Amino acid sequence: NNFIGYSPVFFKDKSLHKLAYTEDEIVALENIMDGEIQIKNTATKEHFLTNSHNSKIIHLATHADASKNPWIGFSDGNLELHELYTYKNNAQLVVLSACNTSLGEVATGEGVLSLARGFFYSGANSVSSTLWNVNDVATSSIMLDFYKNLKKGQSKSTALNNAKLTYIEQHTLSEVSPYYWASFVLIGDT
């Protein structure tokens, strides 16, 4: 598969609020990348673990937590960091369109035990992840432009940089604050 994307929108854990714009984000990305998407009840942890391993690009538009035990949310439950160490993929790019996916516990001699690190361990060549909580609307806009730029043949780092610049050019006042666009970083093969 060229692309597989997941957007649970609603979560089994009722303390996690609905992510309304992630559904629009993932549908738009399917149109750009010509791949497979899983939305709402079909965006399950089990589907991810059994069907995403052979995709060139894996996109997760969801909730995440960088606590002592990092996890990323699916409609039927959370995928925890330790589970990524037994999951294998061949992805050229994993996009973690969720909050705090580059953060985690700092282990002496190991570094940051983050979701991004877990995806590298599982086989990803590069990971786009976040350094703080992200805004649902701004993220959707940046991701759409990022994939359009990739489709044009731009490198991953250039595509992300240009998506951020486009966001800044199209917004004004407080919406151009780095809070909205600067959280996304690209790690690995750019």
Side-chain angles (χ1 to χ4, degrees):
N1 292 336
N2 191 42
F3 172 87
I4 190 165
Y6 293 86
S7 173
V9 183
F10 301 99
F11 301 86
K12 182 178 178 180
D13 180 351
K14 297 305 176 197
S15 69
L16 300 174
H17 65 274
K18 172 185 173 184
L19 291 173
Y21 289 93
T22 61
E23 182 174 0
D24 296 337
E25 175 183 330
I26 212 78
V27 169
L29 296 181
E30 178 189 29
N31 293 330
I32 295 169
M33 299 307 293
D34 188 33
E36 175 187 348
I37 62 170
Q38 300 299 318
I39 302 173
K40 297 181 182 170
N41 291 337
T42 64
T44 65
K45 174 180 161 180
E46 182 175 336
H47 188 282
F48 170 79
L49 291 172
T50 57
N51 296 291
S52 65
H53 64 278
N54 64 348
S55 297
K56 291 179 186 174
I57 299 175
I58 300 170
H59 186 93
L60 302 172
T62 183
H63 280 296
D65 184 33
S67 63
K68 203 164 189 158
N69 185 22
W71 56 264
I72 193 153
F74 288 89
S75 64
D76 60 342
N78 297 332
L79 176 71
E80 296 182 0
L81 176 60
H82 69 88
E83 294 175 282
L84 288 174
Y85 293 117
T86 57
Y87 163 76
K88 298 296 176 210
N89 73 64
N90 295 310
Q92 293 175 8
L93 174 64
V94 173
V95 178
L96 303 176
S97 183
C99 299
N100 303 311
T101 52
S102 273
L103 303 180
E105 182 181 0
V106 178
T108 304
E110 291 294 324
V112 179
L113 303 177
S114 68
L115 290 166
R117 178 185 174 134
F119 278 99
F120 277 117
Y121 187 87
S122 70
N125 287 337
S126 57
V127 176
S128 175
S129 54
T130 57
L131 297 170
W132 55 77
N133 290 339
V134 291
N135 177 278
D136 195 18
V137 177
T139 295
S140 184
S141 172
I142 291 168
M143 287 295 103
L144 185 61
D145 287 329
F146 173 59
Y147 281 97
K148 284 179 182 176
N149 294 339
L150 285 176
K151 192 73 170 181
K152 291 176 190 173
Q154 295 179 9
S155 69
K156 297 169 202 167
S157 59
T158 301
L160 183 59
N161 185 59
N162 288 341
K164 291 176 181 182
L165 290 174
T166 299
Y167 177 84
I168 292 168
E169 290 168 2
Q170 293 176 347
H171 293 83
T172 59
L173 304 173
S174 66
E175 289 180 329
V176 297
S177 165
Y179 164 78
Y180 291 97
W181 57 266
S183 180
F184 282 94
V185 295
L186 185 68
I187 310 166
D189 178 17
T190 61

